[in-house]
Amino acid sequence: MVFPPDAQAYFGAFDVGTTKALSNLPDLIKRYAKTGALSVADAPSLFLRFSAPNGETWSVIRAKTFTCDVVATGFRGSETDQDVLNDMTKSGWVLVKSVPSAVPNGLSQYVLTKMLPASGDPTYGIRAHIKSMGFAASLAGGVQMEIDLVAGQLSSRQPQKP
């Protein structure tokens, strides 16, 4: 397997080279992996940790269902949901649904899609369902944002009207 150069991989039962064993995962990520909707049917088999100066993100990869969750934690107010949405739309993602929180540090949800025309199927793409509590420093010890990614045939839903 080839991993991005800035990622720390967690896989298998033993440390091998630069890859760490699953037993070395932080407790927060272990708990997240056990409580996900797909965890019973398809336990995550690979985790990739990406460090940033102000927090970290984890890719939680499930092989059987071809899904990936991205988990953000440790951020202390330097990011916003809008920053993430802006970065994604600049990369070709389309906002389909937005349900912002009614209270500070409450749950916000967003659905974005990105079509993959190179697949040869015009209906094939990726759906991202974002659930966010925000990036306040008071939330840095938990999961601040979760992005569930699923690839497959997508419906032709139109972007949400502003």
Side-chain angles (χ1 to χ4, degrees):
M1 285 188 252
V2 177
F3 300 117
D6 56 343
Q8 172 63 61
Y10 292 75
F11 177 79
F14 303 102
D15 290 350
V16 178
T18 59
T19 301
K20 295 188 178 202
L22 294 175
S23 60
N24 293 319
L25 287 168
D27 288 338
L28 174 67
I29 302 303
K30 286 179 186 176
R31 283 192 313 273
Y32 174 84
K34 288 180 183 177
T35 59
L38 295 173
S39 294
V40 174
D42 188 9
S45 56
L46 174 65
F47 297 79
L48 298 175
R49 177 179 170 256
F50 297 88
S51 293
N54 51 354
E56 62 187 22
T57 57
W58 289 82
S59 292
V60 180
I61 301 161
R62 292 177 171 82
K64 290 180 189 173
T65 54
F66 303 107
T67 60
C68 176
D69 298 338
V70 177
V71 177
T73 185
F75 290 88
R76 303 194 178 279
S78 59
E79 295 285 326
T80 66
D81 289 356
Q82 194 59 54
D83 292 334
V84 174
L85 294 173
N86 290 345
D87 287 345
M88 290 181 77
T89 56
K90 286 178 191 170
S91 298
W93 290 86
V94 175
L95 181 64
V96 176
K97 183 149 181 99
S98 174
V99 183
S101 173
V103 297
N105 298 329
L107 178 65
S108 298
Q109 296 191 65
Y110 312 94
V111 175
L112 296 96
T113 58
K114 183 173 186 176
M115 302 311 292
L116 302 173
S119 70
D121 180 347
T123 65
Y124 192 82
I126 302 173
R127 179 199 44 89
H129 179 193
I130 300 174
K131 294 169 253 176
S132 177
M133 296 298 290
F135 293 99
S138 62
L139 303 172
V143 173
Q144 294 168 293
M145 178 179 275
E146 170 186 349
I147 305 174
D148 304 321
L149 300 163
V150 178
Q153 289 184 322
L154 302 177
S155 68
S156 59
R157 290 187 62 183
Q158 296 300 312
Q160 179 175 321
K161 303 271 191 250

